[in-house]
Amino acid sequence: MAERTEDLAVALFGELFMADQLARARLSRALPKGMELSHFGVLNLLARIGDERTPAQLARAFHVTRGAMTNTLARLEWAGHVHIRPDWDDARRKFVSISPAGRAARDAALQAIVPMIAHTVSDLGEDRIRAALPVLRDLRLRFEEDEV
């Protein structure tokens, strides 16, 4: 019995890892020139929440190191996609917000990737995707619990 569970676990994670790798490669090719998935992720989060975040908060949200997030934010700032300002109450902290150019870049990226994603959902079937989402969400939540 334990062997079957272990085999199932290996098969599940093998499929998840391969699907993740293939999806990332496909999405990366569809993004506007110069935009990386990490850039899109940050812009998309900032656009959705509509508020500022600290680099540390963004690093936690994406489960990356502060150094990795600092690098991503520096590239986004250089491109004019985010504004980074000091925290007026604590000079050691900074706040990041999306710029109008960043919102436009995020919207352009969405226009490029949504048709591809929608086509995949259509091909697989909406009912199958709806059935898979709760399992995938539970997996994510389980791993998030382990991170804390």
Side-chain angles (χ1 to χ4, degrees):
M1 184 69 137
E3 188 173 321
R4 283 192 203 153
T5 300
E6 290 173 1
D7 291 344
L8 184 60
V10 168
L12 171 66
F13 283 90
E15 291 298 331
L16 286 173
F17 294 150
M18 187 54 66
D20 175 65
Q21 184 175 357
L22 293 170
R24 286 175 175 276
R26 191 174 222 191
L27 291 174
S28 291
R29 286 192 303 271
L31 289 173
K33 186 168 175 59
M35 184 178 286
E36 297 178 21
L37 275 175
S38 59
H39 302 166
F40 172 73
V42 170
L43 293 175
N44 194 46
L45 177 68
L46 290 171
R48 276 195 351 246
I49 61 175
D51 198 12
E52 297 176 311
R53 290 291 185 262
T54 67
Q57 289 171 323
L58 292 170
R60 277 193 305 277
F62 288 98
H63 303 281
V64 298
T65 65
R66 288 183 184 190
M69 184 54 64
T70 297
N71 182 38
T72 298
L73 293 175
R75 291 170 185 249
L76 287 169
E77 185 178 36
W78 181 85
H81 294 158
V82 296
H83 298 298
I84 301 176
R85 71 166 182 85
D87 180 348
W88 308 120
D89 297 326
D90 182 352
R92 296 169 294 175
R93 272 195 337 191
K94 297 178 181 176
F95 282 106
V96 181
S97 62
I98 191 168
S99 70
R103 191 171 298 279
R106 178 254 191 182
D107 292 347
L110 280 175
Q111 285 181 340
I113 64 175
V114 165
M116 179 179 48
I117 296 168
H119 180 72
T120 301
V121 169
S122 179
D123 282 353
L124 291 172
E126 290 183 19
D127 290 340
R128 290 177 67 199
I129 298 297
R130 279 191 189 91
L133 282 175
V135 174
L136 293 172
R137 189 172 294 118
D138 287 347
L139 277 170
R140 176 183 54 82
L141 292 171
R142 175 74 49 99
F143 290 129
E144 283 179 351
E145 287 173 4
D146 292 346
E147 287 290 314
V148 177

